[in-house]
Amino acid sequence: MRSFRALLLAGATAAALTIGGIAPATAASLPAAVTPTPTPTPSASTAAPQTTPTPTPTPAVTPKPTATTPAPATPSAPQPAATATPSPTPKPTATPTPKPTTPPAPVFRQPLAAKSYTVSSHFGPRCIPVQGGSTYHYGVDMAARAGQPIYAIAAGVVTATVTGTSSRAGYIAVRHTISGAQYTSIYMHIWSATTHVKVGQTVSAGQRISQVGSSGVSSGNHLHLELWKATSTGSAAQNAATFLKPRGVDLYAAAAAVNAKPTPATCTYYTVGGVNFRTGPSTSYSIIRMLPRATAVVHVPGTITTGFIPVRVGSQQGWVSAGLVTPTKLTPAPAAVPPPAPAPKPATYATTAALNLRATASMSARIQLVIPKGANVGPIAASSGDWRKVTYAGKTGWVHSAYLVKR
């Protein structure tokens, strides 16, 4: 380890060089004319030289060293090796985030083979088509033959399979992801929902999932196609026809015919029985009056609240249950026929004396028995002249009317 004195001497030498106008770095390039300082043994613990004469600068101009012949360096006190300053670690170059590529648009397919169906009902408000039907149509109806194949309109996952009955519409629901949003397509009025798919199964666009039926409230074999878009509060019905058209599937152009009629401003229905005409859309509202069977009511299509529709009867406004009207004109119920008056009971007779009950209406006829005086012989069954046919004690015969009296 260097002593404190050695450190002072080294400092003085460096100061002398600097004061003389030659920096330590320049001193290393002086010519040999400068008196050399004894070279110390290069060691970290070697003491400083005994005598260090102050170098006298040579008046001559110091020649500049050439690039090929470097000037000899004047030995000097060992300087601590310069520690190379580490180059700063270069910041890693940020990998550019690739721009998200738009995924290819999903493939869409016809739910029924082209030209194999007719469009029988549009999406939106409509007149109730049959008793129990809806006045706002959440799908597009495509009438087709029973058993015709039904295909998924897009790839997705089956979320529901409900088999239909005569009173419940069967359906299959398929969930899709389209342009980042979730949709559900529903295929209704099928009979058996599990002939081709099951819940949780992934299906491709155009894959057969069922067949056309007429379950539930239905006027005939058809596919009722619905499309719902998930929202933050639930779901919203979409018009499947207008949704699919810009995606290459035109339900109307592919139909053999479009038989659906435009929705009129008002619809006329007829009550199917005695129907309560109420002040509001529930049974808790008061009854204005009872509407008899076949009463005509006028309704604005598409308006319905809790199963009740607002209607006009003549000049009166009120509400009736949507399930108790039909678009089919009915005949009024026949007037009640009073029951016929009961037939009067036939008069009964009694004998006024002991009386022979004969086999025929003749004095010469055989006597079957003698009826005592005051006996009840019941009503007269027949007459022949003065003779009356009666029954007594299980025997039927003839007696003379002169001995009978009405009771």
Side-chain angles (χ1 to χ4, degrees), residues 78-97:
Q79 299 296 323
T83 303
T85 304
S87 300
T89 304
K91 295 181 180 180
T93 304
T95 303
T97 304

Side-chain angles (χ1 to χ4, degrees), residues 266-365:
T266 60
C267 306
T268 301
Y269 310 127
Y270 304 88
T271 54
V272 297
V275 175
N276 289 325
F277 187 38
R278 297 181 179 274
T279 58
S282 81
T283 56
S284 63
Y285 285 86
S286 59
I287 298 172
I288 300 172
R289 60 190 173 99
M290 175 73 73
L291 301 178
R293 171 187 163 88
T295 300
V297 298
V298 179
H299 168 240
V300 175
T303 53
I304 183 169
T305 303
T306 61
F308 283 74
I309 56 174
V311 297
R312 186 181 76 251
V313 181
S315 60
Q316 277 188 308
Q317 300 284 344
W319 296 75
V320 295
S321 171
L324 298 180
V325 296
T326 177
T328 304
K329 190 172 184 178
L330 303 176
T331 56
V337 178
K345 292 182 179 180
T348 58
Y349 294 82
T351 59
T352 58
L355 188 61
N356 293 324
L357 182 65
R358 296 180 180 275
T360 62
S362 172
M363 291 293 291
S364 60

Side-chain angles (χ1 to χ4, degrees), residues 60-154:
V61 177
T62 304
K64 294 182 180 180
T66 64
T68 56
T69 307
T74 301
S76 62
Q79 299 296 323
T83 303
T85 304
S87 300
T89 304
K91 295 181 180 180
T93 304
T95 303
T97 304
K99 293 182 179 180
T101 57
T102 303
V107 176
F108 295 91
R109 291 287 184 264
Q110 285 279 355
L112 297 176
K115 305 305 178 183
S116 67
Y117 64 90
T118 60
V119 176
S120 56
S121 186
H122 305 294
F123 174 92
R126 66 172 182 178
C127 293
I128 296 173
V130 293
Q131 184 183 351
S134 63
T135 183
Y136 195 96
H137 199 218
Y138 290 99
V140 177
D141 282 351
M142 291 167 277
R145 63 175 175 81
Q148 184 168 323
I150 298 174
Y151 307 101
I153 61 171

Side-chain angles (χ1 to χ4, degrees), residues 181-270:
Q182 183 174 298
Y183 292 81
T184 298
S185 57
I186 301 177
Y187 311 80
M188 295 188 70
H189 296 297
I190 61 178
W191 289 109
S192 178
T194 55
T195 54
H196 293 79
V197 294
K198 61 183 178 180
V199 172
Q201 179 178 338
T202 299
V203 297
S204 58
Q207 179 176 335
R208 181 175 180 176
I209 58 175
S210 191
Q211 56 196 30
V212 172
S214 186
S215 62
V217 178
S218 171
S219 58
N221 291 301
H222 72 287
L223 167 63
H224 170 95
L225 176 65
E226 291 185 3
L227 185 65
W228 295 80
K229 182 180 181 180
T231 66
S232 59
T233 57
S235 58
Q238 309 291 304
N239 185 336
T242 56
F243 178 88
L244 290 172
K245 185 174 181 179
R247 293 167 173 83
V249 175
D250 193 330
L251 298 181
Y252 283 79
V258 177
N259 298 328
K261 298 177 181 178
T263 303
T266 60
C267 306
T268 301
Y269 310 127
Y270 304 88

Side-chain angles (χ1 to χ4, degrees), residues 5 30 37 94 183 314 362-363 377:
R5 182 173 174 277
L30 291 175
T37 301
Y183 292 81
S362 172
M363 291 293 291
V377 296

